[in-house]
Amino acid sequence: MTGVEPRPRIRHNDYSPLTPPPLGGWSPTLGASVVIPAHGGQHRLDLTLAALAAQTYPARLTEVIVVDDRSDPPLRLPDLRPENTRIVPVPDGGWGAGHAMNTGIAAAEGEIVQRLDADMVISREHLEALFRWHHLTDYLVTIGGKRFAEEPALTPGQVNDAVRHGSPEDLFDPSALVSSSTEETIRRLDGLRASKNPYQVCTGPTVSLRRTLLDEVRGFDPEVVRGQDTEFAYRLAQAGAVFVPDPEARAVHLGLPAQRGEHGRAIVRLVEAHLAHRVPLRRDLRKEPGRRWRVPYVEVVFDVTGADEPRIAAAVDAVLRGTLTDVAVTLTGPWTLLDGDRRWAPGTEAFDLALVRAAFGHDARVRFAESAAPTAAPVPFRYTAPIDAPPSAALLERAVKAMLEERLGLLVLEAPGGRTATLERTEAVARARLLAAPGEAIADVVAQTHGVRHATPNQFDKVSTTGREPAAQSTQSAQSTQSAQPVRTTQTGSGTPGGGGAADGNAKARPEEQAPRARRGLFRRS
């Protein structure tokens, strides 16, 4: 991170420990690229550029990239614009705001990237207000405010003059300005400090972030042509980002929300179709149990190294027939043994692996990998258990529910016989990996940012006579900031499955001989 070390350890989305400098009372140093995806609408673009030409953030540190998404006639640069402004055409192979944004990002040179709609009249401190936060640390996403208004008859000169004098709202009839529903949500949740899913209000017209965070999520999904900003923000959340709205970044959006138009419901349906497949936390969009979704709710990881085919098949089947069906199973092990023209003799590890791949290779819910990825992103939960201690039928569903209710980052399930399984929240592990000092246990950082809890699997297996699920007892509460002990994942001999977890979860499982590697991977910063 440029300029500030170490990174502050923010709990959930409570960015209160950060104190931004006052507007006009600091000296910016980071270069910034304002990327504007645009399709037609030349006059509105002219007004947006006129407002950008009056910003308090230094022009020497700012570039503006207008991405022309096949406008007819092509867009042009007006006379009144920021000094460092250029137009970039989108390449073939896609269309829409996400595709255009990726084009602009590829051309951008700034350390800060600002996504701005081509129909926004922003206040003169708008960029400064958002960018000041990025000078504090590098894992923030800042969100500007907006109100909507039907476009009056305006010239670029009028807009530029009003912005320079700090009163762009004076250009519009106050009674006709429509507040954004997201701003009410932001106020209700203490500026998102109390929000459980702050990514949901990051809807796109004005958002900024550091290049490192942008590169981590690899930009926008060009296949999402509606709802791309929410899907992008969801992946930022899974990367450990903190979302900061700044009320000083005022703006007026020219035109009313598309959802209010003639085709509003149809647009909402398209947005929901995209988000249903890509944002598993939107459980309201996944009410049809017979469907399979692009991004599952929980990844279950088993290390199959040294295990025979019956044990592997039993573990996979136990997960797939559980009450939580929105899952994927990742089997890690030496799958390269099956590469090439090698022969697999019965009684060898390769033969058992070949049997497993023949049995599950056509099931899209089962994946094969040499090792698990550092986090489950974009899957929100990962459950890891020994191969002969798969979760019981209801464990994943109930354990994930408990994690959500208590906002935990890590649930450690310790069963008799030394078996240990973990259910981890992806956003918590991603942030911990970002914040951990060399050699520091990731679980210790998760305890500080999200909370760690220890329990036994059977606390999620049984239902009390009152019909209520028993509360799991913890050796460390969700609110504790004390250090958690590194998890030891062990495997006993073949036999009856003996571990489990409940609710939507994610984790990893490794046999006894792999336990040190597990600690270095999940619980030590690599």
Side-chain angles (χ1 to χ4, degrees):
M1 179 176 66
T2 303
V4 180
E5 291 289 351
R7 294 180 177 97
R9 298 192 173 186
I10 297 172
R11 187 170 181 85
H12 296 301
N13 203 64
D14 186 2
Y15 52 88
S16 299
L18 301 179
T19 302
L23 295 175
W26 64 296
S27 298
T29 59
L30 295 177
S33 299
V34 181
V35 179
I36 305 175
H39 175 72
Q42 179 69 59
H43 180 65
R44 289 184 174 182
L45 174 63
D46 292 351
L47 302 183
T48 298
L49 293 176
L52 281 169
Q55 293 297 295
T56 58
Y57 199 80
R60 61 181 173 79
L61 295 175
T62 308
E63 67 171 353
V64 177
I65 301 171
V66 178
V67 185
D68 189 349
D69 190 7
R70 297 182 178 84
S71 301
D72 185 16
L75 296 172
R76 54 168 179 76
L77 292 181
D79 293 334
L80 185 51
R81 63 179 189 268
E83 58 188 58
N84 187 15
T85 303
R86 65 188 190 276
I87 292 180
V88 176
V90 296
D92 294 334
W95 65 277
H99 183 60
M101 278 300 302
N102 287 342
T103 300
I105 291 167
E109 299 178 355
E111 175 63 23
I112 301 171
V113 175
Q114 164 80 35
R115 185 246 199 268
L116 187 67
D117 272 359
D119 49 9
M120 297 279 283
V121 173
I122 62 176
S123 63
R124 62 175 181 163
E125 306 93 352
H126 192 100
L127 297 185
E128 181 188 351
L130 297 182
F131 296 172
R132 58 182 172 168
W133 294 93
H134 300 305
H135 286 68
L136 302 177
T137 191
D138 63 350
Y139 67 105
L140 308 180
V141 178
T142 57
I143 306 168
K146 64 182 181 298
R147 288 190 287 175
F148 296 90
E150 291 286 6
E151 180 183 358
L154 294 173
T155 67
Q158 289 175 310
V159 168
N160 183 265
D161 184 66
V163 171
R164 287 188 184 279
H165 289 88
S167 56
E169 291 88 352
D170 291 347
L171 297 168
F172 306 92
D173 178 1
S175 63
L177 288 171
V178 178
S179 296
S180 167
S181 60
T182 59
E183 291 192 348
E184 174 55 34
T185 300
I186 289 170
R187 285 192 293 269
R188 179 171 52 85
L189 297 173
D190 188 24
L192 296 186
R193 294 176 185 88
S195 176
K196 294 181 179 180
N197 293 301
Y199 74 89
Q200 291 182 332
V201 305
C202 191
T203 54
T206 170
V207 173
S208 67
L209 68 163
R210 289 277 288 269
R211 166 73 66 170
T212 50
L213 188 55
L214 184 60
D215 291 343
E216 176 68 22
V217 300
R218 300 181 181 179
F220 287 75
D221 184 341
E223 295 183 8
V224 182
V225 295
R226 284 288 187 175
Q228 66 278 343
D229 298 304
T230 300
E231 189 276 337
F232 175 62
Y234 166 77
R235 284 187 287 115
L236 290 171
Q238 299 313 304
V242 171
F243 295 83
V244 181
D246 194 318
E248 299 289 347
R250 308 182 335 270
V252 176
H253 190 290
L254 301 175
L256 298 179
Q259 292 88 337
R260 298 193 178 196
E262 178 184 357
H263 303 294
R265 179 53 193 160
I267 292 173
V268 170
R269 288 180 63 192
L270 180 57
V271 169
E272 291 178 345
H274 284 304
L275 298 186
H277 274 284
R278 293 167 172 84
V279 183
L281 294 179
R282 287 294 306 271
R283 306 310 293 161
D284 58 310
L285 302 179
R286 295 190 176 187
K287 294 181 178 179
E288 175 49 61
R291 295 189 189 179
R292 291 291 174 263
W293 308 100
R294 177 168 179 159
V295 179
Y297 195 33
V298 181
E299 179 193 28
V300 178
V301 178
F302 296 117
D303 189 328
V304 301
T305 304
D308 57 25
E309 182 270 339
R311 281 193 294 164
I312 299 172
V316 175
D317 288 335
V319 173
L320 297 184
R321 65 171 174 256
T323 61
L324 181 66
T325 60
D326 194 356
V327 297
V329 180
T330 299
L331 302 177
T332 63
W335 298 103
T336 54
L337 291 175
L338 307 183
D339 292 347
D341 298 325
R342 303 175 184 177
R343 295 180 181 274
W344 317 312
T348 65
E349 182 176 21
F351 189 82
D352 281 278
L353 293 179
L355 285 174
V356 171
R357 196 164 70 177
F360 296 103
H362 299 289
D363 192 324
R365 297 169 296 174
V366 182
R367 307 162 181 179
F368 308 90
E370 291 296 301
S371 60
T375 76
V379 180
F381 297 97
R382 174 184 279 173
Y383 183 80
T384 303
I387 190 64
D388 56 357
S392 62
L395 189 146
L396 289 178
E397 185 175 0
R398 294 173 183 164
V400 171
K401 181 180 179 181
M403 287 194 76
L404 290 172
E405 290 176 347
E406 300 179 33
R407 303 185 70 183
L408 293 173
L410 179 65
L411 179 62
V412 182
L413 299 174
E414 299 168 335
R419 292 187 180 98
T420 300
T422 57
L423 177 60
E424 68 190 55
R425 187 190 294 261
T426 299
E427 67 175 66
V429 173
R431 187 179 301 175
R433 288 177 58 83
L434 180 71
L435 301 178
E440 184 177 13
I442 294 298
D444 291 350
V445 184
V446 172
Q448 297 175 28
T449 63
H450 289 77
V452 176
R453 180 194 213 179
H454 291 255
T456 60
N458 61 12
Q459 290 172 305
F460 297 96
D461 290 340
K462 301 175 182 177
V463 178
S464 70
T465 56
T466 64
R468 297 180 180 178
E469 296 171 10
Q473 301 299 313
S474 63
T475 58
Q476 180 174 352
S477 71
Q479 299 302 318
S480 172
T481 57
Q482 299 175 0
S483 298
Q485 295 300 315
V487 173
R488 297 176 296 279
T489 303
T490 60
Q491 175 182 341
T492 63
S494 61
T496 304
D504 315 359
N506 282 335
K508 301 178 182 177
R510 288 178 171 80
E512 187 172 15
E513 62 269 23
Q514 298 293 334
R517 179 161 63 92
R519 288 194 291 270
R520 287 195 299 271
L522 174 57
F523 297 100
R524 293 285 178 187
R525 188 183 183 189
S526 57

